[in-house]
Amino acid sequence: MSIRHKLYKSILSRKTKRGTTDKTSRDNIRQREIHDLLKSQHDMSLDSIKIPEHLIHKYLFMKNYEDVHIDGVKVLDVTNEGEGLAIIPRQRYDSDASENDFTVVAIPKTVPGDIVTVSLRRHHMFFAEAELILVSRKSRKQSRRNDRLVVCKHFSKCSGCQLQMLSYEDQLQFKKRTIEKAYRYFFPQIFDNLPPNFAEVMPSPMQFAYRTKLTPHAQIPKDLKSEDLPLPVGFLDVRAMQPVVDVDSCAVASPEINMALPKEKVRFNQDLEGLIDGSKKKVDPTFVLRLSIRIDHNTGEFEDVCLTKRKNVVTEKVDEYVFQLEANEFFQNNRSILPILLDYIKCNVKSIDYNYIVDAYCGCGFLGIGLSSTLPDEGKLFGIEIALKAIKYAAHNAKINGLHIPTKAVFVEGNSDEMFKMKEFAECGAVGEEALVLMNPSRKGSTPAFMKQLLEFRPKAIVYISCNPFTQARDLADFEALQRRSTTKYRIKALTGFDFYPQTKHVESVAILELIE
């Protein structure tokens, strides 16, 4: 078997970063979106768009994609990833195809109604990647696109933002549809009993210059030479296998970060000179630029500064609360919307009496500490996090915000799946009928094991915050299935989106569940 054929077979079988065995994986969701598109087009079948192996092989090893341009392509739909979907007759570029063969193409930086010229790139089993070459003026009347809204000169190539060509109102509608799609795919039962304003998305107070953390990077070649310098520093290109898009500023990053980035690029390339002459043994190709507040303890005044070292201690202020963590650790990157999130949760749980807040996946303690003012004087906060460094900062943050440890707050290192069995949890005294549980897991969501124990714990209310509505919908569907075999029942009181990342495809989804007594 040739090396090329082995590579071809390897790529065909390769799984995505999130894996294809999970029904909420990127590949599986895209296939469902393609199925929706086909159904809308007079019930076209998957067989009619399945791409033959010879085409997959051809485009995998093609050296000059620019030779395959197709014009007059109309974008019909958009994926949750912010890529436009179109259907083209395969005969337009493959002489072996029949008139009944079509190709679904995924086109970054496009929206429904766009009429575009594309360059075809890598092919997969049910779709082909494409590069946007040109948007025709003919699409102006039928597309929501407005390129005058684009403020970043790197937008066409940089993979960081997907939606700058849309009005902010249209961006919020896109994110609302993403949440609706997630629940339609993975928790369809909810549509029989929707809470008021289901999936409405709370806007961000800032649509640009809001990011408090930026992580640009470079690609250092193994045979680095002086003539290669300066290396580009920036973000991934929307086209696979392309060099990093070199950026000197980012439209969604804070001004302080944008002021620091050019200096860091100069410092980085000077370090690379040391790598070449042997005076340096290692240079980190990934940057960490983090906004922090610097407080004058004599006057109480503070200013924003940009920190650039991974172990620098960042100080964040949200409402009256102050949080500290290392620059490389996780904290929500849009400071402006966090007070709105806390107010929303407080408003939705104000009618519920609880003496304990149980903060699963607590990180550095933001949610639990930010909501601790809702506890009665005898109340207590319990937090758990698998990352030791984060849990140390959570305990530190509790102290600097006036929560005495261990009488008022307890933070422990551990897996949330084991939380309800832990000695520390039993010792904190939390009981379900007096508890509010907070959940804020990573993109992969929670687990059936945790949801089962959560149901058995029987808290008064649950707040589930997710950066991935698809895994959130899956988890709440699992929770609903568990309830069918139990006498304990919950209802979804509210489900709302929050636009933590304007100009991008990302949306935060907040579900609030309350126990039915």
Side-chain angles (χ1 to χ4, degrees), residues 82-345:
E83 296 176 324
L85 291 179
I87 301 174
I88 59 175
R90 197 170 295 150
Q91 283 185 334
R92 292 197 64 183
Y93 69 99
D94 178 24
S95 59
D96 294 330
S98 76
E99 61 180 11
N100 296 319
D101 292 333
F102 298 88
T103 299
V104 171
V105 290
I107 316 164
K109 313 289 183 175
T110 62
V111 297
D114 284 350
I115 298 173
V116 299
T117 300
V118 300
S119 170
L120 293 184
R121 294 183 173 271
R122 188 170 149 187
H123 283 47
H124 305 265
M125 186 176 293
F126 293 112
F127 77 100
E129 299 171 11
E131 177 189 355
L132 176 63
I133 303 299
L134 178 72
V135 180
S136 170
R137 295 170 63 91
K138 295 178 182 179
S139 57
R140 284 186 173 182
K141 292 183 179 180
Q142 53 189 316
S143 170
R144 306 290 291 181
R145 183 186 201 92
N146 183 355
D147 285 326
R148 288 174 296 180
L149 297 172
V150 176
V151 301
C152 178
K153 65 181 179 181
H154 306 294
F155 175 69
S156 63
K157 290 184 178 181
C158 178
S159 62
C161 292
Q162 296 78 36
L163 308 178
Q164 279 191 35
M165 80 295 266
L166 291 178
S167 70
Y168 192 51
E169 181 181 346
D170 285 342
Q171 291 186 33
L172 296 178
Q173 285 300 309
F174 166 85
K175 297 180 184 195
K176 182 179 190 295
R177 289 192 295 271
T178 294
I179 298 174
E180 291 172 338
K181 184 184 294 183
Y183 279 80
R184 178 163 57 86
Y185 286 173
F186 300 117
F187 193 2
Q189 302 93 322
I190 196 176
F191 286 94
D192 298 331
N193 188 23
L194 298 180
N197 301 318
F198 171 78
E200 291 292 334
V201 180
M202 294 278 194
S204 170
M206 299 175 66
Q207 285 93 57
F208 290 96
Y210 61 82
R211 278 196 71 104
T212 56
K213 181 182 179 184
L214 210 63
T215 53
H217 66 279
Q219 295 170 343
I220 305 176
K222 292 183 178 179
D223 56 345
L224 181 67
K225 303 179 183 65
S226 295
E227 51 266 32
D228 296 327
L229 303 182
L231 286 186
V233 174
F235 304 101
L236 293 176
D237 197 301
V238 291
R239 303 164 298 171
M241 308 303 291
Q242 295 298 309
V244 166
V245 179
D246 190 42
V247 300
D248 285 317
S249 67
C250 173
V252 298
S254 73
E256 292 78 12
I257 287 176
N258 281 326
M259 288 176 62
L261 178 55
K263 300 174 186 176
E264 282 300 292
K265 290 176 66 175
V266 170
R267 187 270 311 159
F268 170 71
N269 278 285
Q270 289 173 344
D271 287 349
L272 290 178
E273 291 175 356
L275 194 65
I276 294 169
D277 65 26
S279 60
K280 277 189 172 289
K281 293 185 178 180
K282 188 177 180 181
V283 176
D284 190 346
T286 303
F287 294 36
V288 174
L289 303 173
R290 195 74 184 252
L291 194 67
S292 176
I293 61 172
R294 179 180 291 157
I295 303 172
D296 185 328
H297 295 285
N298 295 318
T299 65
E301 295 179 347
F302 59 87
E303 62 176 341
D304 283 329
V305 295
C306 179
L307 305 181
T308 60
K309 300 288 188 287
R310 293 178 184 274
K311 292 189 180 296
N312 284 153
V313 176
V314 170
T315 302
E316 291 272 6
K317 190 174 186 298
V318 181
D319 282 343
E320 70 269 29
Y321 296 101
V322 175
F323 301 91
Q324 291 189 315
L325 63 150
E326 285 189 8
N328 200 42
E329 296 298 310
F330 175 78
F331 195 86
Q332 293 290 2
N333 291 333
N334 181 351
R335 186 190 293 169
S336 72
I337 200 171
L338 294 181
I340 298 172
L341 172 68
L342 292 178
D343 286 346
Y344 172 83
I345 296 172

Side-chain angles (χ1 to χ4, degrees), residues 442-471:
S442 65
R443 287 194 64 81
K444 66 181 181 181
S446 188
T447 65
F450 180 84
M451 302 307 289
K452 181 176 184 295
Q453 293 175 78
L454 181 62
L455 185 65
E456 293 168 352
F457 182 58
R458 223 170 162 268
K460 292 289 285 292
I462 302 163
V463 178
Y464 186 161
I465 301 173
S466 174
C467 59
N468 184 348
F470 294 94
T471 53

